[in-house]
Amino acid sequence: MEFRFALDRISYVWSCLVLGVLSALFPLGAAATPAAPSVAIFYGSNAPLDELKAFDIAIVEPGHNDHPERYRRPYSELYAYVSVGEAHPTRPYFKDIPAAAKLTENKVWGSVVIDLSHPAWPEFFANRIVAPLWEKGYRGFFLDTLDSYRGAPKFDEAAQQKGLVAVIETLHRRFPGIRLILNRGFEVVPAVKDKVQMVAAESLFRGWDGAAKRYVEVPAGDREWLLAQLLKVRDDYGIPVLAIDYVAPEDRALTRATAERIRALGIVPWVTDWKLESLGIGQVEVMPRKIIALYSGREQPAINFTNMHRFAEMPLNHLGYVLEYRDINDPLPDYPLAGRVAGIVQWVSGTPESPKRLASWLKRQTGAGIKVAIIGQLGIPPELAGAFGVAYVPTAGNLRLELVRRDKMIGLETEPVPDGRNFQPVRLAKGDGVSLLEMADQQGRRYDGAAIMPWGGFVLSPFDLMELPGTEQARWIVDPFAFLQQALRLAPVPVPDVTTENGRRLLFAHIDGDGFPSRAELPGTPLAGRALLDEILRRYPVPTTMSVIEAEISPAGLYPKDAPEMEDITRRIFALPDVEVASHTYSHPFRWDNHVKHGIFRDSDADEAYHLKIPGYKLDLEREIVGSMDYVRRLAPAGKPARILLWSGDTAPGVDALRIADEAGFLNMNGGDTVITRSNPSLTAVMPVGIGKGGYRQIYAPVSNENLYTNLWQGPYYGYQKVIETFEMTGAPRRLKPIDIYYHVYSASKKASLSALHKVYGWALGQPVHPVFGSEYIRKALDFYTAVVARDGDGWLYRGDGELRTLRVPASLGTPDLRASDVAGYAPGPEGNYLHLTGAEARVRFAPTPTREPFLRDANARLSDWHRTGDGISFKLEGHQPLALSFANFSGCRASADGKPVAPSRSGNETVFNLNHARASIQVRCQ
């Protein structure tokens, strides 16, 4: 922003009288104009674009955000900040500004003030400033510095205003449909009232004193004059008005209170820091879903292998949060985190490289109100420990430790074992925090292994989790859900949920192409691919994502003799209506990212050892990803897309592989290895939704394939039936994962493994499920990472991409008020209610008592076109199996499908309908 106007201090003699009259005419409780859009403004280089979707209009500095079309949603759009009356030398067009159009200098901002009356300025502004942004996709513009000419020693007020009007008229003539927001410019509003979407002004209640460099309360006289101008624009011309106030970003209480004061006047608020580089509060308040995850890149070769990712990310995902990884050895964020992150979690195993730098950064964040949860090593140097309310206790030799007391969240999966040889001798300062695990030695000295602190909380190794010697298993000592909720002060909020839709648990299958050429232990020893087609895919109506390895089945691959038959089988499989097409790569790389960081090497063997041995071939990521997808498309029926890549081998692609897949428009899945069973009954065996690398996202398979149930295909070959245990244990007491039947083609090659598949499919189809394709799940998972949740008065606002259609809501929030909410209904779940969303956007209000309205209890298909009328409901369902749905509060109602009456199959507390087709238009009419 080249120039930000100080308060206009003219004509205050009569301001008190004006305000008195206006107060009588427009009481403070008046609601905002119904058409007034919510607005956020962010000029920093790291705009939180996901969070800004909570606002109808997000005004940004376009030099930092050049993808408005990618951002655009039906409910939110990026507007570009542009300076009309000033130009800074850093702007690319600055050198071409006519010398005669330069009126004076603004020494505060180092910019030149423009003579708006210069005849060439309107066309210059349109062609050189707005046109390039219009070409990038911007359709809305925030026009700033409209009154900068008043800083010149001499100017013609009327001529300047006339020039400003000419600029606005030129923009409308050159860019049909352009939308403009004026920052002040009150005097020209009558002349351009039909060309302006909104008028803004700064510092109604709170402002910034540039000379003193501090936030201040606006003097009453200044406030009264500005309020009069805003209300005149709103009430005389019917134009919504926006008040931009400034509060220190760490003072969220004052930010919130100021926004409420503005909103109570019927004015759209935006309250932020004076640089407009923090996520403030407006008509709605974003409930941040991102958590800064601090790890040490010196401990592991990649994020995949860190304790943070392996153990902490899943609980945080389930609570509704998304991790933003930061290596403690790299520079940490230096911008305000308040309002845009829900907290910070640190999990390191050793001493940080720069412990003072890290501790100082953490202290700054806690001083700004950001809560911090520390797991593993405390990592705070002794000289700074006091600032965190702890002290290191001097010890000598081995100690005999005894537990004095522990909180109920300690001992979740295994008991804490105090060990004087392996613990961190830390004690809470008197009066600071609440100990969760207290120990004493033989001298009576006390130690604290975990605590909830005013700044957050900590649980120190070895009381976080225990890795079982001789195994790859671990057990939580602390309850990660309870600890993270309490340490980070995570309030009950609606949680975007990827496991469920319309109250039913998601079900799909996906198959890696490995083993297609294998011979099955069946009469005639058919190819495993044919056995899969005949024994499984034609038998079970489950949406399936089917992949093949090009080098295994193509004529130019490893088995040319069988290639014609394998390609024929593949075409038959791809033609099935329950099958979607995917690639499992060209040569099946076993290692995707021979990653080197901080001197840690994964492996230095020859590249050729890490994929199928194809003569003359050297690993080529483009060939593996894009080339293999071109191949499978040739085997797919006309019109059936192929855009899913299932990672092979270690399923740990690096940034380059993820980038290639993303730029090609492909969805991707695999990895994670969730394998919780009764023989490994630990939450540590449940992995997160996915992982982010370099700005790209890998989506994990919800559960592991048969390899980990059959000892890497060494037997027992019936072992995959144990995945039913995984499905059960990820369904209750928390529903952590959908049901994903994930295996390789070679599971169709043996009788025992086929028997296991039959058992798994039978169990899955016996559950109340919502079948989806793998691609639908992937899109839901991607939606999870970018969706936004915000407080909207006494209710909630959810905005996503429309793929994820469930909010999981704690029972403490109540049940939805269906007449005041954009939900079709709700179903009880193990942790509260699953709310059924009707689209990409939902406003939700809760009621203290359950509704008596009829509502959708559950359904096995995607819902659309939901409408609630005075006497009933209408909507559409489209799924992958014959429709099954139920209603609550259906007494006195009747239903029809596609205009024909349908009768319920069962009545009682819930009314159930089963239809013999997979799509229908449903109408419900009630007396």
Side-chain angles (χ1 to χ4, degrees):
M1 201 170 192
E2 273 110 1
F3 182 74
R4 200 169 292 119
F5 248 89
L7 295 170
D8 194 338
R9 300 179 179 275
I10 62 173
S11 302
Y12 296 137
V13 175
W14 46 270
S15 60
C16 293
L17 175 62
V18 172
L19 184 64
V21 173
L22 288 171
S23 297
L25 292 174
F26 307 104
L28 294 183
T33 305
S38 59
V39 178
I41 309 176
F42 192 98
Y43 293 155
S45 60
N46 51 354
L49 296 180
D50 293 337
E51 290 76 12
L52 289 176
K53 291 188 303 186
F55 301 90
D56 304 331
I57 295 171
I59 301 166
V60 296
E61 166 56 55
H64 300 149
N65 304 278
D66 286 336
H67 303 287
E69 290 182 331
R70 187 184 305 173
Y71 173 93
R72 184 173 291 124
R73 303 293 191 279
Y75 48 72
S76 185
E77 184 163 354
L78 286 184
Y79 279 37
Y81 167 89
V82 287
S83 176
V84 178
E86 295 190 30
H88 197 274
T90 58
R91 298 294 183 178
Y93 52 80
F94 182 84
K95 66 182 186 309
D96 297 325
I97 297 174
K102 299 176 181 179
L103 187 62
T104 188
E105 291 184 64
N106 179 348
K107 295 182 179 180
V108 175
W109 294 96
S111 55
V112 168
V113 176
I114 300 299
D115 180 0
L116 299 181
S117 67
H118 191 282
W121 184 246
E123 288 295 333
F124 184 95
F125 184 78
N127 294 330
R128 296 299 308 279
I129 299 175
V130 173
L133 299 175
W134 187 270
E135 291 175 3
K136 290 179 178 179
Y138 286 101
R139 295 296 179 264
F141 297 84
F142 181 82
L143 305 186
D144 194 25
T145 65
L146 306 184
D147 303 351
S148 292
Y149 58 84
R150 289 177 178 161
K154 184 179 180 181
F155 59 90
D156 183 334
E157 179 77 29
Q160 295 296 319
Q161 292 183 20
K162 184 178 179 181
L164 178 57
V165 170
V167 168
I168 295 170
E169 290 177 341
T170 300
L171 293 179
H172 271 268
R173 185 172 62 254
R174 285 272 284 106
F175 308 104
I178 193 171
R179 297 182 292 277
L180 302 177
I181 298 176
L182 306 186
N183 190 10
R184 299 174 78 94
F186 300 121
E187 296 81 4
V188 304
V189 169
V192 296
K193 60 181 182 294
D194 60 334
K195 298 178 176 63
V196 174
Q197 182 183 12
M198 179 178 277
V199 174
E202 300 168 70
S203 303
L204 181 60
F205 291 103
R206 308 290 306 186
W208 170 257
D209 185 331
K213 299 189 180 306
R214 62 188 180 93
Y215 293 95
V216 296
E217 184 172 2
V218 173
D222 294 12
R223 178 173 64 252
E224 292 158 2
W225 181 88
L226 185 57
L227 179 60
Q229 302 304 308
L230 291 170
L231 295 181
K232 180 178 177 63
V233 170
R234 186 193 71 182
D235 300 328
D236 287 4
Y237 305 113
I239 300 173
V241 290
L242 167 69
I244 307 163
D245 273 27
Y246 302 118
V247 173
E250 64 271 14
D251 195 342
R252 296 297 284 181
L254 181 57
T255 301
R256 188 176 300 113
T258 304
E260 286 299 320
R261 291 179 73 184
I262 296 169
R263 187 175 180 177
L265 294 169
I267 297 171
V268 177
W270 180 246
V271 186
T272 184
D273 71 290
W274 73 275
K275 292 183 179 180
L276 291 100
E277 292 182 347
S278 63
L279 187 62
I281 298 175
Q283 291 278 66
V284 300
E285 178 180 357
V286 170
M287 303 303 291
R289 297 182 57 232
K290 287 189 172 63
I291 287 176
I292 300 291
L294 300 179
Y295 74 102
S296 175
R298 298 183 179 279
E299 296 176 0
Q300 296 292 345
I303 294 172
N304 306 57
F305 310 107
T306 63
N307 286 344
M308 182 75 73
H309 179 67
R310 292 171 60 205
F311 304 126
E313 188 162 1
M314 182 281 291
L316 287 165
N317 282 173
H318 186 70
L319 294 171
Y321 297 92
V322 176
L323 269 59
E324 182 178 307
Y325 281 88
R326 297 284 183 164
D327 190 335
I328 59 172
N329 304 296
D330 296 335
L332 297 173
D334 60 355
Y335 49 82
L337 298 180
R340 61 189 294 172
V341 303
I344 299 168
V345 179
Q346 173 186 304
W347 194 337
V348 296
S349 300
T351 302
E353 183 183 57
S354 304
K356 290 184 179 179
R357 179 180 67 89
L358 174 61
S360 297
W361 183 85
L362 289 174
K363 189 59 184 174
R364 288 198 303 274
Q365 305 313 318
T366 60
I370 307 296
K371 300 302 180 185
V372 176
I374 296 176
I375 307 175
Q377 296 294 313
L378 189 61
I380 298 171
E383 60 270 28
L384 296 178
F388 291 85
V390 298
Y392 288 92
V393 182
T395 60
N398 292 337
L399 298 176
R400 293 196 304 274
L401 296 176
E402 293 184 357
L403 282 177
V404 175
R405 72 172 201 88
R406 65 177 182 181
D407 187 85
K408 61 183 180 181
M409 75 173 69
I410 304 296
L412 176 70
E413 295 176 347
T414 191
E415 293 296 312
V417 180
D419 184 347
R421 299 164 299 175
N422 179 31
F423 85 115
Q424 299 171 66
V426 171
R427 181 173 59 210
L428 298 187
K430 188 174 182 180
D432 272 352
V434 176
S435 180
L436 301 176
L437 188 149
E438 189 176 1
M439 302 164 286
D441 62 18
Q442 60 267 40
Q443 280 79 40
R445 291 174 296 195
R446 299 297 179 99
Y447 308 91
D448 298 289
I452 300 298
M453 305 296 290
W455 48 263
F458 64 83
V459 55
L460 304 181
S461 174
F463 307 112
D464 44 11
L465 55 78
M466 177 187 296
E467 299 201 42
L468 305 186
T471 75
E472 294 185 1
Q473 298 185 20
R475 300 289 184 268
W476 278 108
I477 296 172
V478 66
D479 181 338
F481 296 100
F483 170 71
L484 291 166
Q485 278 185 305
Q486 290 190 32
L488 299 178
R489 314 302 198 266
L490 302 178
V493 296
V495 173
D497 191 285
V498 300
T499 70
T500 302
E501 183 164 348
N502 291 333
R504 291 177 169 229
R505 193 175 181 186
L506 302 180
L507 165 67
F508 66 96
H510 82 281
I511 304 171
D512 289 348
D514 309 52
F516 204 108
S518 301
R519 293 290 171 175
E521 297 174 350
L522 297 172
T525 61
L527 291 166
R530 182 172 294 281
L532 174 70
L533 172 61
D534 295 339
E535 295 290 326
I536 302 296
L537 297 179
R538 284 177 170 159
R539 182 170 179 174
Y540 297 105
V542 173
T544 301
T545 304
M546 176 68 196
S547 70
V548 293
I549 303 168
E550 180 183 348
E552 274 198 340
I553 72 167
S554 75
L558 299 175
Y559 307 97
K561 180 180 178 181
D562 293 328
E565 182 183 3
M566 289 191 289
E567 288 193 332
D568 178 68
I569 295 168
T570 300
R571 289 188 180 95
R572 294 172 184 270
I573 292 173
F574 284 170
L576 295 175
D578 290 323
V579 169
E580 67 178 358
V581 179
S583 169
H584 198 43
T585 75
Y586 168 63
S587 72
H588 194 284
F590 303 121
R591 293 280 179 89
W592 280 93
D593 186 19
N594 289 326
H595 192 74
V596 181
K597 186 174 183 181
H598 299 308
I600 298 177
F601 291 82
R602 289 189 55 179
D603 207 302
S604 59
D605 289 353
D607 169 81
E608 287 73 12
Y610 293 110
H611 55 75
L612 296 178
K613 294 184 178 180
I614 303 167
Y617 174 69
K618 185 174 178 62
L619 185 66
D620 180 333
L621 293 180
E622 287 278 353
R623 181 69 182 86
E624 295 293 338
I625 298 169
V626 179
S628 69
M629 198 70 72
D630 290 340
Y631 171 75
V632 298
R633 283 183 178 133
R634 295 197 293 271
L635 302 178
K640 181 175 275 194
R643 52 176 177 259
I644 305 161
L645 186 81
L646 301 180
W647 301 110
S648 62
D650 66 355
T651 63
V655 174
D656 286 342
L658 290 169
R659 175 186 53 78
I660 291 169
D662 183 77
E663 290 178 353
F666 301 160
L667 302 172
N668 77 85
M669 183 168 62
N670 273 356
D673 290 338
T674 288
V675 68
I676 184 173
T677 61
R678 293 190 182 95
S679 59
N680 184 18
S682 174
L683 290 167
T684 62
V686 183
M687 295 300 288
V689 175
I691 187 170
K693 297 179 182 179
Y696 302 99
R697 187 70 61 181
Q698 175 187 352
I699 302 304
Y700 284 160
V703 300
S704 182
N705 58 47
E706 78 277 49
N707 273 359
L708 294 186
Y709 298 89
T710 61
N711 297 308
L712 300 180
W713 201 241
Q714 298 300 308
Y717 296 112
Y718 57 79
Y720 186 56
Q721 65 190 28
K722 289 191 69 176
V723 77
I724 295 173
E725 296 178 14
T726 303
F727 295 151
E728 291 173 338
M729 297 175 78
T730 55
R734 297 177 176 89
R735 187 177 292 176
L736 300 173
K737 297 289 180 182
I739 299 171
D740 172 20
I741 305 174
Y742 171 30
Y743 56 98
H744 297 84
V745 176
Y746 51 66
S747 268
S749 68
K750 293 185 176 295
K751 290 182 179 180
S753 52
L754 273 172
S755 176
L757 284 176
H758 289 309
K759 187 171 183 178
V760 171
Y761 273 93
W763 179 91
L765 289 171
Q767 309 303 308
V769 293
H770 183 117
V772 296
F773 278 110
S775 60
E776 294 174 274
Y777 171 74
I778 295 168
R779 290 190 182 95
K780 291 175 188 294
L782 292 171
D783 205 354
F784 168 81
Y785 284 105
T786 59
V788 62
V789 176
R791 288 305 305 257
D792 182 13
D794 60 353
W796 298 87
L797 172 67
Y798 169 83
R799 284 178 169 176
D801 287 337
E803 305 292 345
L804 187 153
R805 291 292 191 89
T806 294
L807 290 178
R808 188 178 72 250
V809 177
S812 60
L813 291 182
T815 56
D817 180 343
L818 296 179
R819 285 286 178 182
S821 301
D822 302 316
V823 298
Y826 61 94
E831 297 178 271
N833 290 317
Y834 292 104
L835 273 57
H836 318 328
L837 304 182
T838 61
E841 180 182 25
R843 282 180 164 81
V844 183
R845 299 284 186 274
F846 291 98
T849 57
T851 181
R852 296 189 178 186
E853 299 280 343
F855 63 88
L856 186 69
R857 177 65 86 186
D858 69 9
N860 69 342
R862 169 56 61 100
L863 180 148
S864 64
D865 295 341
W866 175 269
H867 298 286
R868 185 180 289 277
T869 61
D871 64 346
I873 305 165
S874 65
F875 58 97
K876 294 180 181 178
L877 287 174
E878 183 171 357
H880 303 296
Q881 292 181 356
L883 296 178
L885 61 154
S886 68
F887 293 91
N889 299 337
F890 201 74
S891 177
C893 301
R894 62 187 186 278
S896 63
D898 298 326
K900 298 179 181 180
V902 292
S905 62
R906 180 172 61 84
S907 297
N909 292 334
E910 296 180 6
T911 304
V912 179
F913 295 87
N914 292 287
L915 308 180
N916 59 9
H917 40 277
R919 57 177 60 87
S921 294
I922 310 293
Q923 298 82 37
V924 173
R925 295 291 178 265
C926 302
Q927 297 177 350

